[in-house]
Amino acid sequence: MMKASIISVGTELLFGQITNTNTVYLSEQLQLLGVDVMYHYTVGDNPERLRRIIGLAYEDCDLVITTGGLGPTQDDLTKEILTEVLDDRLVTDMASLDAIEGFFKQVGRPMTENNRKQAYLPSRAVIFQNTQGTAPGFALENDGKLAICLPGPPREMTTMFEKDARPFLESKSHGLIYYKMLRTFGLGESALETAIEDLINAQTDPTLATYAKEGECSLRIASKRATAEEARTAVCEMERAVFERIGSYVYSDNNEELAQVTARRLIEGNIGFSCAESCTGGMFAAAMTDIPGISAVFDRGFVTYSNRAKTEELGVSEEILKKYGAVSKECALAMARGLSERTGSRLAVSVTGIAGPDGGTPEKPVGLVYIACVFDGKEYCKELRMPSMNRYRNRKHVVLYMLSAILRITDAASE
Amino acid sequence: MMKASIISVGTELLFGQITNTNTVYLSEQLQLLGVDVMYHYTVGDNPERLRRIIGLAYEDCDLVITTGGLGPTQDDLTKEILTEVLDDRLVTDMASLDAIEGFFKQVGRPMTENNRKQAYLPSRAVIFQNTQGTAPGFALENDGKLAICLPGPPREMTTMFEKDARPFLESKSHGLIYYKMLRTFGLGESALETAIEDLINAQTDPTLATYAKEGECSLRIASKRATAEEARTAVCEMERAVFERIGSYVYSDNNEELAQVTARRLIEGNIGFSCAESCTGGMFAAAMTDIPGISAVFDRGFVTYSNRAKTEELGVSEEILKKYGAVSKECALAMARGLSERTGSRLAVSVTGIAGPDGGTPEKPVGLVYIACVFDGKEYCKELRMPSMNRYRNRKHVVLYMLSAILRITDAASE
């Protein structure tokens, strides 16, 4: 299995002026190719430090992928240093020179002398032409060391990777990897780990890894075998064992977002819905309407922040608000019922709670939330007690609970 | 000047499952503190490799900042290794243990044994409590080597950095830095740069740097002098020069979010408001209700996604919908008027548009948006033509335009 380091070159990255999206893209692509990514390095446009990092990378990796530092200016030195480390010399590549000259003709800008520099390439390299800009990339090998050198601008880099670098790496890759990413909701990372501890401890291949995300937890099952079919079979076997333990918490075996899965359920089931939000203040509606195509089933939403709004828009009675308060099972259900009657939506979802930081009392602390649904006339209500850490996070987490509640309810109905 | 390396710990980063936003945040923050960021390293949850990278980092840096690997699970080892490298030992920090136990009581989840591990901390460390999660962070020093150890989840990390790590670093920084971050809206980065080009070209100290953000542009004015007072004076002089050129676009001289500034205007002016959203689908209401204290002035919101909802909830006439369509100046104004009448709110804001990716036509392309306001009986309407890049980004950008419109309108009124 090839071991790789990704080196991002550019002082602007160290200044925090741009987010490094190249690295995340390349890491995922290499994963899929069954290449082990061991390290990411970022270094500025400084020859000594760049030479140092390239040296470090080859200490325990056989593949080094660089992005950036291929430009025409003085401080673009990635190519020069890699060529020196891999014991080659730069020669003018006529095809590249033609391409660069062609590029400048096309954009109608004069080609400055330093642009010629971009056509100097290692004599033994496999050249990757740049269809999106001027700097060519290349692959260069020297006694067990492989370098792939790509431009920094994301569009140039990804286009070149797909067109040239990936096919080149596929021709080199030994063995085949298959993996599945299971997404769960309602289980903490440590609870998840405890539930599958025996599988984790016994793992060799397939491997299991858990990832905590805000309010969620993912589980990656990966296998690397001689053939794709063997790997797939091994992963599916392990997946069955995992499902026996935590299946009811898994909402996607395909690394999808909960909102995506819930929206698809509603769209495919043609389940018209409306929502009434208090503490989430529109975040649920925003999450749903972020999914293209949702307009086919989403009728309307209410953000009934004030009690007056709850009464005027949803018909929540003064009596309920007085007797039980706005944050109560009774109010949540009254909101959902009123919404259902008013809109005629098949599914009506409501939420009310105390998002914090203020407004909590001993009997009704910050983080107390009620979610109610009316679906095909059946009613549901769930009480949550969120950690009162953070208003934004609480609200976001509540939205996940609403989505998960909808999944369970519409699923139960379809049975 | 301190030289720093940022080490991101987490196998999921090497898998390319998440973009490393911590590093870009920390790089910018360290810049502002006058710390030189030399390298970014990313390494998986592997003790040998993590130990190796920490060793490398200290070869030419005196400050190492780590993010991640502080969780409760077996493969979270950052703390253990840093403690060993900086020649300390782990002891149970009772304050942290109490905080973690309190956290689990609040969530009503059982605290598993591995969560205690998060309260083991270096005996000589300055502890940073985690107000957003369970894993505490810390600062630890040993003969010229300084380590700052922060949790991986971005919200936990940024909150802890602002609350504890930045003040700690400020107390260490040699020479005094003063800076201001101006936030602008409505000016592109190149337009901003052109407007202050002479100041940028002439800069020595204070320095000027622009940062493009989604739909916004920030300008950093920083000075490093012998005393804080000298630095402050220099920055304020430069700020005046900048304001002469682009003052009308600046909405904060304190690096605040536009939603924050707009919400404060409404709360302090006691301006009651309601909103009616079509294309943004609740994102505006969600942005406003994300601000604590907004309930004092926010009455209610409508997400009138379907035409029927626009008619039933806001009284938009069939005629307007037929004659001009749901995405029109007329519909936006009708929505705002209906909202104003129905709620009696002093400020009524509406938006309708085509978020894409589908639903565009030649005369009404994706990205066409109308924002309308009724404030103290006066009416306003603005047409936007967003670049049709990305549904989510378009919608987010539209919310910024709504916030900015509210700022201008309520400002004009107060004059």
Side-chain angles (χ1 to χ4, degrees), chain B residues 104-233:
Chain B
F104 279 92
K105 273 205 197 63
Q106 203 159 26
V107 215
R109 285 214 316 262
M111 172 168 162
T112 55
E113 187 50 34
N114 51 10
N115 285 109
R116 298 182 151 276
K117 171 171 173 291
Q118 300 188 299
Y120 302 157
L121 291 158
S123 66
R124 298 194 316 267
V126 178
I127 312 293
F128 303 154
Q129 291 306 336
N130 188 336
T131 59
Q132 309 293 313
T134 57
F138 61 86
L140 182 60
E141 288 181 275
N142 189 48
D143 94 85
K145 297 195 189 79
L146 172 61
I148 304 249
C149 197
L150 302 170
R155 246 160 209 287
E156 299 182 24
M157 189 281 292
T158 53
T159 308
M160 190 179 289
F161 185 86
E162 277 159 33
K163 180 175 61 69
D164 297 318
R166 184 195 290 135
F168 181 90
L169 286 168
E170 274 164 349
S171 72
K172 296 272 165 195
S173 94
H174 321 301
L176 285 153
I177 290 222
Y178 181 80
Y179 71 88
K180 272 195 168 188
M181 185 71 84
L182 306 186
R183 301 276 291 254
T184 72
F185 183 76
L187 257 183
E189 187 174 25
S190 42
L192 172 58
E193 276 186 347
T194 311
I196 58 171
E197 201 166 21
D198 55 327
L199 300 175
I200 291 178
N201 294 339
Q203 69 178 304
T204 50
D205 177 305
T207 55
L208 289 165
T210 59
Y211 303 93
K213 282 188 59 182
E214 230 170 58
E216 296 184 64
C217 194
S218 301
L219 178 68
R220 188 179 106 253
I221 308 175
S223 174
K224 190 151 183 283
R225 300 290 173 98
T227 73
E229 199 36 49
E230 282 178 47
R232 181 190 308 272
T233 310

Side-chain angles (χ1 to χ4, degrees), chain B residues 293-314:
Chain B
I294 198 71
S295 55
V297 286
F298 181 50
D299 176 18
R300 72 194 78 175
F302 295 84
V303 181
T304 50
Y305 225 55
S306 65
N307 281 354
R308 210 179 109 238
K310 291 183 183 68
T311 303
E312 292 179 6
E313 303 303 340
L314 305 170

Side-chain angles (χ1 to χ4, degrees), chain A residues 15 31 40 42 52 56 59 181 211 281 286 289 299-301 303 306 312-313 389-393 395, chain B residues 15 17 31 40 42 52 56 59 106 132 155 281 285-286 289 299-301 303 306 312-313 391 395:
Chain A
F15 284 163
Q31 263 290 312
H40 300 161
T42 303
R52 170 177 184 257
L56 292 174
E59 277 179 15
M181 185 69 74
Y211 307 101
T289 54
D299 176 17
R300 74 195 76 174
V303 182
S306 65
E312 292 179 6
E313 304 303 341
M389 316 169 278
N390 169 303
R391 181 183 177 89
Y392 172 82
R393 211 164 135 173
R395 283 155 37 102
Chain B
F15 285 161
Q17 282 163 351
Q31 264 280 311
H40 300 162
T42 303
R52 169 174 184 261
L56 293 174
E59 278 179 13
Q106 203 159 26
Q132 309 293 313
R155 246 160 209 287
T289 55
D299 176 18
R300 72 194 78 175
V303 181
S306 65
E312 292 179 6
E313 303 303 340
R391 180 183 178 89
R395 284 159 32 107

Side-chain angles (χ1 to χ4, degrees), chain A residues 204-348:
Chain A
T204 49
D205 177 304
T207 54
L208 289 164
T210 61
Y211 307 101
K213 281 189 60 181
E214 232 171 52
E216 297 184 61
C217 195
S218 301
L219 179 68
R220 182 176 178 282
I221 309 174
S223 173
K224 186 152 181 302
R225 302 291 173 98
T227 73
E229 198 36 49
E230 281 177 48
R232 182 189 308 271
T233 310
V235 167
C236 293
E237 263 169 39
M238 178 60 80
E239 189 184 12
R240 273 192 293 280
V242 168
F243 263 76
E244 280 169 18
R245 289 167 175 75
I246 56 157
S248 64
Y249 294 95
V250 178
Y251 66 81
S252 170
D253 63 358
N254 187 24
N255 201 22
E256 292 171 296
E257 297 296 330
L258 185 51
Q260 189 76 52
V261 174
T262 306
R264 190 173 55 236
R265 168 77 57 80
L266 296 173
I267 293 169
E268 289 179 356
N270 190 31
I271 300 172
F273 72 102
S274 295
C275 57
E277 304 175 67
S278 185
C279 58
T280 52
M283 288 175 89
F284 173 79
M288 291 310 256
T289 54
D290 202 31
I291 312 291
I294 198 70
S295 56
V297 287
F298 181 51
D299 176 17
R300 74 195 76 174
F302 295 85
V303 182
T304 50
Y305 224 53
S306 65
N307 281 352
R308 206 177 112 240
K310 291 182 183 70
T311 304
E312 292 179 6
E313 304 303 341
L314 305 170
V316 178
S317 71
E318 304 286 355
E319 189 207 347
I320 282 179
L321 291 170
K322 249 196 233 73
K323 191 161 166 202
Y324 305 100
V327 179
S328 64
K329 183 171 190 285
E330 292 74 12
C331 182
L333 278 166
M335 288 168 71
R337 288 181 196 129
L339 181 65
S340 166
E341 285 157 19
R342 162 172 216 115
T343 61
S345 297
R346 191 173 157 200
L347 171 66

Side-chain angles (χ1 to χ4, degrees), chain A residues 35-324:
Chain A
V35 174
D36 241 346
V37 178
M38 311 287 284
Y39 307 97
H40 300 161
Y41 299 95
T42 303
V43 59
D45 301 301
N46 169 293
E48 291 67 39
R49 289 197 281 276
L50 179 52
R51 196 174 284 108
R52 170 177 184 257
I53 290 296
I54 290 171
L56 292 174
Y58 278 122
E59 277 179 15
D60 55 4
C61 291
D62 38 22
L63 168 63
V64 166
I65 300 193
T66 66
T67 61
L70 293 184
T73 66
Q74 295 297 331
D75 60 359
D76 290 309
L77 290 161
T78 309
K79 180 175 60 182
E80 288 70 8
I81 292 170
L82 270 175
T83 305
E84 166 197 316
V85 171
L86 295 182
D87 191 26
D88 198 1
R89 61 198 174 76
L90 294 172
V91 298
T92 302
D93 177 63
M94 292 319 289
S96 301
L97 189 57
D98 293 348
I100 294 168
E101 284 168 350
F103 178 90
F104 279 93
K105 273 204 195 65
Q106 204 172 14
V107 293
R109 287 211 318 266
M111 173 169 162
T112 57
E113 186 51 34
N114 55 8
N115 286 111
R116 293 183 153 278
K117 171 173 173 289
Q118 300 188 299
Y120 303 158
L121 291 157
S123 66
R124 297 195 317 267
V126 178
I127 312 294
F128 304 153
Q129 292 305 335
N130 188 337
T131 59
Q132 309 294 315
T134 56
F138 61 86
L140 181 61
E141 288 181 275
N142 189 47
D143 97 81
K145 297 196 189 79
L146 173 60
I148 304 253
C149 198
L150 302 169
R155 201 167 48 106
E156 298 182 25
M157 188 282 290
T158 54
T159 308
M160 188 180 290
F161 185 87
E162 276 158 32
K163 178 176 60 71
D164 295 319
R166 185 194 288 135
F168 180 90
L169 285 168
E170 273 164 352
S171 72
K172 298 266 166 195
S173 102
H174 326 297
L176 284 150
I177 199 160
Y178 180 79
Y179 77 89
K180 268 195 169 186
M181 185 69 74
L182 306 186
R183 300 278 291 255
T184 73
F185 181 76
L187 259 182
E189 185 177 21
S190 35
L192 172 57
E193 273 208 344
T194 311
I196 58 171
E197 202 166 21
D198 55 326
L199 301 175
I200 290 179
N201 294 338
Q203 69 177 304
T204 49
D205 177 304
T207 54
L208 289 164
T210 61
Y211 307 101
K213 281 189 60 181
E214 232 171 52
E216 297 184 61
C217 195
S218 301
L219 179 68
R220 182 176 178 282
I221 309 174
S223 173
K224 186 152 181 302
R225 302 291 173 98
T227 73
E229 198 36 49
E230 281 177 48
R232 182 189 308 271
T233 310
V235 167
C236 293
E237 263 169 39
M238 178 60 80
E239 189 184 12
R240 273 192 293 280
V242 168
F243 263 76
E244 280 169 18
R245 289 167 175 75
I246 56 157
S248 64
Y249 294 95
V250 178
Y251 66 81
S252 170
D253 63 358
N254 187 24
N255 201 22
E256 292 171 296
E257 297 296 330
L258 185 51
Q260 189 76 52
V261 174
T262 306
R264 190 173 55 236
R265 168 77 57 80
L266 296 173
I267 293 169
E268 289 179 356
N270 190 31
I271 300 172
F273 72 102
S274 295
C275 57
E277 304 175 67
S278 185
C279 58
T280 52
M283 288 175 89
F284 173 79
M288 291 310 256
T289 54
D290 202 31
I291 312 291
I294 198 70
S295 56
V297 287
F298 181 51
D299 176 17
R300 74 195 76 174
F302 295 85
V303 182
T304 50
Y305 224 53
S306 65
N307 281 352
R308 206 177 112 240
K310 291 182 183 70
T311 304
E312 292 179 6
E313 304 303 341
L314 305 170
V316 178
S317 71
E318 304 286 355
E319 189 207 347
I320 282 179
L321 291 170
K322 249 196 233 73
K323 191 161 166 202
Y324 305 100

